[in-house]
Amino acid sequence: MGQKQRVDQQPGFVLHTHPYRETSLIVEVFSRDYGRMALVAKGARRPMSALRGVLMAYQPLLLDWSGGGEVKTLIRAEWLGGQPLLSGKELLCGYYLNELLVKLLPREDAHAELYAHYAALIQRLPGETRFEPVLRAFELTLLSELGYGVPLEHDAETESPIEADAHYGYIIDRGPVRDVSPEDGLPMVTGQTLLDMAAGRFDDPKTLVQSKALLRHLIQHHLGAQPLHSRRMFKELQAL
Amino acid sequence: MTPSTLDALIEALRCLPGVGPKSAQRMAYHMLQRDQRGAARLASALSKALEVLRHCARCNTFTEDDICQRCANPQRDPRLLCVVEMPSDLAMMEQTHAFKGMYYVLMGRMSPLDGIGPRELKLEKLVERATDGQVEEVILATNFTNEGEVTAHTVGELMRARGLKVSRIARGVPVGGELEHTDIGTIAQALIERRSV
Ligand SMILES: [Zn+2]
């Protein structure tokens, strides 16, 4: 058990909440300097609780907490403002981002760069019309920041630079390789897609389609057996 | 009473929302020790409710009939369908006396991270209700939480795809409310959603 520690005015976002005991909430937050944390918000489910309206996902907050165990005690949450509430498709995207973070980010592991990417992305979601490119860029940052290297610039076997016109199969944890047969069952991408991904460019339609399949494959690998509910709901919504 | 009967009662009480092992134990001891008549009343009310209550075939709220009295009332406007999360929300809407249309009660809300989506909410039942040929406008009156908002979006998309007019109840500063005593989020959103006068 760590020492009892007090943290003040920490920037963070609520990722998810669930009921705890009779009137409290366990709040999963993504904080700038401490990463993903579990905080108990005592009495936050009482109708007149000051915390109730503030602990909303996709809103930048300043958080005070203390405690030494795995679950800390939330002392204060302050609304920073300046962020319109999400609605419509942008909200579905928000749920997808939060589900990725809840399921892939280990607790109490700081990821300043990922936090900055997330905060900037949440800010630009309202009014965004092309969600796919920004989601792909976030997925790539997430995988790299978590230490799941995503080599994109060199052939994993020959170490020669990627050629735009060539076709590559992608081996998890190793990278792109040429001369693979369909029986290997590897996700296939063109060299151009790999180069675009390495440069953070997701505008080309072909790059978008191929990078989506590749990133989905990698994310599913790291999720293991855990399903992504928000992805299933996208599909259900389209089917109804 | 053998200990296992007592344990079973305590365990059963834990199905109530927000009731942990400690509260369940307190409730069980209280009923058995201090209020056996109350406990008997609860037991019979509960088994009666389970026996006779069902979901209204039209609005999905609890009723003893196939179709509830509200849905059967010819005075109500069948062209308007108001979608709410829970029966308690319906009760609030009714208290306003401002709405004379019909209702649909979702009995919940979407919560994607908890795996509650269109399928779990049985939205196909709402689609069936709204496409009865009489409904013209669907009013989304789910809560102004992220869950309520994503539910409103999803229902709205489904209804629009079927050619129905869709509207969302407005939000803002409470009637009789003073800015000084209103929460920051409400004021911020009221400003973003301001309208010309
Ligand atoms: Zn009814």
Side-chain angles (χ1 to χ4, degrees):
Chain A
M1 287 288 112
Q3 287 200 311
K4 206 165 166 75
Q5 187 194 18
R6 170 144 185 165
V7 172
D8 285 316
Q9 301 278 294
Q10 175 63 213
F13 286 89
V14 169
L15 297 175
H16 191 43
T17 60
H18 40 259
Y20 178 65
R21 303 228 170 122
E22 259 128 276
T23 57
S24 301
L25 279 178
I26 299 277
V27 191
E28 291 280 351
V29 302
F30 185 23
S31 68
R32 188 188 66 195
D33 302 329
Y34 298 83
R36 182 163 80 90
M37 307 278 302
L39 307 175
V40 54
K42 289 189 181 145
R45 277 158 59 224
R46 290 184 205 278
M48 299 313 280
S49 164
L51 284 171
R52 199 180 158 97
V54 177
L55 292 174
M56 231 177 143
Y58 320 115
Q59 289 295 320
L61 304 175
L62 284 179
L63 305 161
D64 297 1
W65 69 75
S66 80
E70 197 194 346
V71 179
K72 321 281 190 236
T73 302
L74 179 70
I75 297 165
R76 220 164 72 98
E78 194 184 322
W79 183 284
L80 272 176
Q83 168 77 38
L85 300 170
L86 300 188
S87 61
K89 276 218 179 70
E90 54 201 56
L91 186 52
L92 279 169
C93 286
Y95 275 111
Y96 175 67
L97 299 176
N98 283 10
E99 190 171 19
L100 285 180
L101 292 174
V102 165
K103 290 188 170 161
L104 290 174
L105 203 58
R107 283 218 182 117
E108 301 195 39
D109 207 2
H111 290 282
E113 216 169 293
L114 183 63
Y115 181 85
H117 192 145
Y118 177 83
L121 180 49
I122 292 295
Q123 201 167 35
R124 67 179 282 193
L125 275 182
E128 181 65 62
T129 49
R130 296 191 67 219
F131 294 104
E132 298 278 332
V134 295
L135 291 180
R136 298 297 85 78
F138 182 79
E139 289 168 346
L140 190 55
T141 304
L142 174 65
L143 290 171
S144 325
E145 272 267 325
L146 290 175
Y148 306 129
V150 187
L152 296 167
E153 287 165 286
H154 296 277
D155 186 310
E157 255 156 25
T158 65
E159 292 184 21
S160 47
I162 294 299
E163 290 170 36
D165 300 334
H167 291 263
Y168 295 86
Y170 200 96
I171 304 175
I172 288 170
D173 296 332
R174 284 191 60 208
V177 290
R178 283 175 81 162
D179 301 323
V180 288
S181 72
E183 290 94 84
D184 297 334
L186 296 176
M188 297 297 298
V189 286
T190 62
Q192 188 58 53
T193 294
L194 294 169
L195 294 171
D196 282 347
M197 287 173 74
R201 287 188 306 256
F202 292 91
D203 303 310
D204 179 72
K206 195 169 171 187
T207 298
L208 208 48
V209 170
Q210 292 190 348
S211 62
K212 181 175 185 170
L214 175 57
L215 287 163
R216 174 173 294 197
H217 180 76
L218 296 173
I219 286 171
Q220 200 53 60
H221 172 78
H222 295 299
L223 282 170
Q226 298 182 87
L228 274 183
H229 296 303
S230 45
R231 188 185 285 161
R232 165 171 72 83
M233 279 162 210
F234 269 122
K235 279 196 202 138
E236 277 178 28
L237 183 52
Q238 273 149 11
L240 273 166
Chain B
M1 186 182 262
T2 62
S4 72
T5 310
L6 181 58
D7 290 345
L9 173 60
I10 292 169
E11 190 54 39
L13 285 165
R14 291 189 58 191
C15 77
L16 293 166
V19 173
K22 279 246 175 64
S23 319
Q25 202 176 46
R26 212 165 47 230
M27 288 176 187
Y29 290 156
H30 175 84
M31 285 191 288
L32 296 172
Q33 193 62 42
R34 311 237 171 261
D35 196 3
Q36 292 220 355
R37 277 175 63 192
R41 217 163 48 231
L42 174 62
S44 80
L46 197 54
S47 67
K48 175 99 192 285
L50 283 172
E51 191 189 306
V52 305
L53 289 183
R54 65 191 97 171
H55 292 286
C56 169
R58 309 207 75 208
C59 72
N60 202 38
T61 198
F62 293 116
T63 172
E64 292 184 28
D65 312 302
D66 288 338
I67 292 177
C68 75
Q69 285 186 1
R70 198 174 294 106
C71 288
N73 181 352
Q75 305 297 319
R76 301 197 73 113
D77 189 343
R79 294 168 300 177
L80 297 176
L81 184 68
C82 178
V83 179
V84 296
E85 292 181 12
M86 298 301 288
S88 51
D89 301 323
L90 187 157
M92 285 303 284
M93 294 290 292
E94 281 296 271
Q95 279 183 41
T96 66
H97 298 286
F99 182 67
K100 296 286 169 235
M102 313 301 279
Y103 290 95
Y104 187 87
V105 185
L106 294 166
M107 294 288 173
R109 62 202 65 87
M110 276 177 69
S111 181
L113 266 64
D114 297 309
I116 303 170
R119 193 169 69 197
E120 287 71 20
L121 281 183
K122 301 191 174 71
L123 290 188
E124 68 279 359
K125 202 174 153 188
L126 166 57
V127 168
E128 199 186 318
R129 169 65 185 90
T131 51
D132 67 345
Q134 287 191 292
V135 173
E136 290 170 13
E137 178 178 350
V138 175
I139 299 159
L140 305 171
T142 52
N143 288 333
F144 284 111
T145 57
N146 285 315
E147 280 77 15
E149 200 61 34
V150 77
T151 308
H153 167 72
T154 303
V155 172
E157 292 288 293
L158 294 176
M159 298 299 132
R160 255 189 292 270
R162 282 153 184 85
L164 294 161
K165 187 179 168 206
V166 177
S167 54
R168 177 85 166 110
I169 55 166
R171 74 186 131 193
V173 179
V175 173
E178 294 161 22
L179 291 186
E180 188 188 345
H181 303 296
T182 305
D183 70 283
I184 303 297
T186 300
I187 297 175
Q189 202 63 24
L191 200 55
I192 291 166
E193 294 176 7
R194 68 186 180 277
R195 54 191 170 83
S196 20
V197 292

